[in-house]
Amino acid sequence: MVMALVIAACSSDSSSDGGEDADASDGGDSGESAESGGGGEGTVEIFSWWTGAGEEDGLLALIDLFEQEHPDITVDNAAVAGGAGTNAKAVLATRMQGDDPPSTFQVHGGAELNEGWVAADKMEPLNDFYEEQGWMDKFPQDLIDMVSKDGNIYSVPVNIHRGNVVFYNKQVFEDNGLEVPTTYDEFIEVADQLQDAGVTPLALGDKEAWTATQIFENILLGELGPDDYKSLWAGDIPFDDDRVVAAAEKFKTVLGYVNEDHASRNWQDAAQLVGDGEAAMINMGDWAKGYFSNDLELETNKDFGYFAFPETDGDFMVITDTFGLPKGVENPDEVKEFLSVLGSVEGQDAFNPLKGSIPARVDADESKYDEYGKDAMKDFNESNLTPSLAHGSAAAEGFVTKANQAVNIFVTQLDVDNLINTLKNAASEL
């Protein structure tokens, strides 16, 4: 299993956001081996891929808060840059295979955690720790389920990003007399009007394949609904189900409205088309909001707006970054001190406003977040939570890699039958 993770990490096209039993404290075998990993006594090594603007600022603010509360513990910020997380995942896989785990590491909740490191028996359960911290009612149960396997909780969510959001240029919509679409048919009507006006309706930058997969997963969510969407990744609904085929047909239609140079652009390049008014909309995780506000210096609800992907209002496609306790670290108690800060109101409110995400906790201080953040927090607390395929939460890494490859081919060939057959053949990886 771990060797498979090494291979997958080195070849995966899955994204990072922006690119989100007894406990080990009872003894067990944590820290007893001469090959134990982590930062050693008095040091907590925090492994992530947060090196870009915003995300690095958030991480440093979190570390600063931890050091204020625990001046006796040294922090080793072991962030690995490049590859939208792919480089970090490859390094992590090699270290975990060699029984040299960092003290704690960034991992997406859902299958990336549960079917990867938990299934490989590399993580300590945190049930007792959650109870000690009083967290069982501070995170939504659906979110706790995403970081749990076989009744055990294995990591602490620090943030939430939303994948089923569409950002749009408000001036372009106003100039063309357009209303925000809420259904697929309305979306097509808006896209036709924009295309007739000489504006690219939907910006796409699929230099990395996950951006197109993200569109497809949102169409699947709208077609299947949240329960059957989750059942699809559980293997309970076949990929040749009529609704999956219908979603693929809709995906084909939507791709007819994207910019011609999509394959040469990353998501930031595509988002800039929207910011500049050359394109009207983009479906992107809400780290794009930070890009619009910070990099392009655009104002929320003045220069750009946002709405739920058509047919998914009331649903929230969750991308959550989490940190757990690997087996074999030398100082599990000190690692838990960091996890305690990471999961606290103060920790999440120090990190998330800078990262551009919202807190995973339901009791964070809303006053620290902007208008988009407040809306996202409300939706997160009231919506059906669904795991993202594109970001590794819905399915195992092997399937995600094959799905990204299939979508990448589909974007070029637009062959629905081939896409469905490829997904059917990859279903054994679920």
Side-chain angles (χ1 to χ4, degrees), residues 137-139 343-345 349 359-366 377 381:
D137 62 348
K138 298 301 187 290
F139 298 98
S344 69
V345 170
D349 286 342
R361 292 180 63 116
V362 298
D363 58 346
D365 183 355
E366 289 189 8
M377 290 168 71
N381 290 330

Side-chain angles (χ1 to χ4, degrees), residues 6-24:
V6 174
I7 295 169
C10 292
S11 63
S12 172
D13 269 326
S14 64
S15 104
S16 313
D17 41 273
E20 214 168 183
D21 277 79
D23 274 350

Side-chain angles (χ1 to χ4, degrees), residues 31-52:
E32 298 301 321
S33 168
E35 296 180 351
S36 294
E41 292 294 335
T43 300
V44 173
E45 181 189 9
I46 303 169
F47 187 95
S48 76
W49 54 81
W50 285 329
T51 61

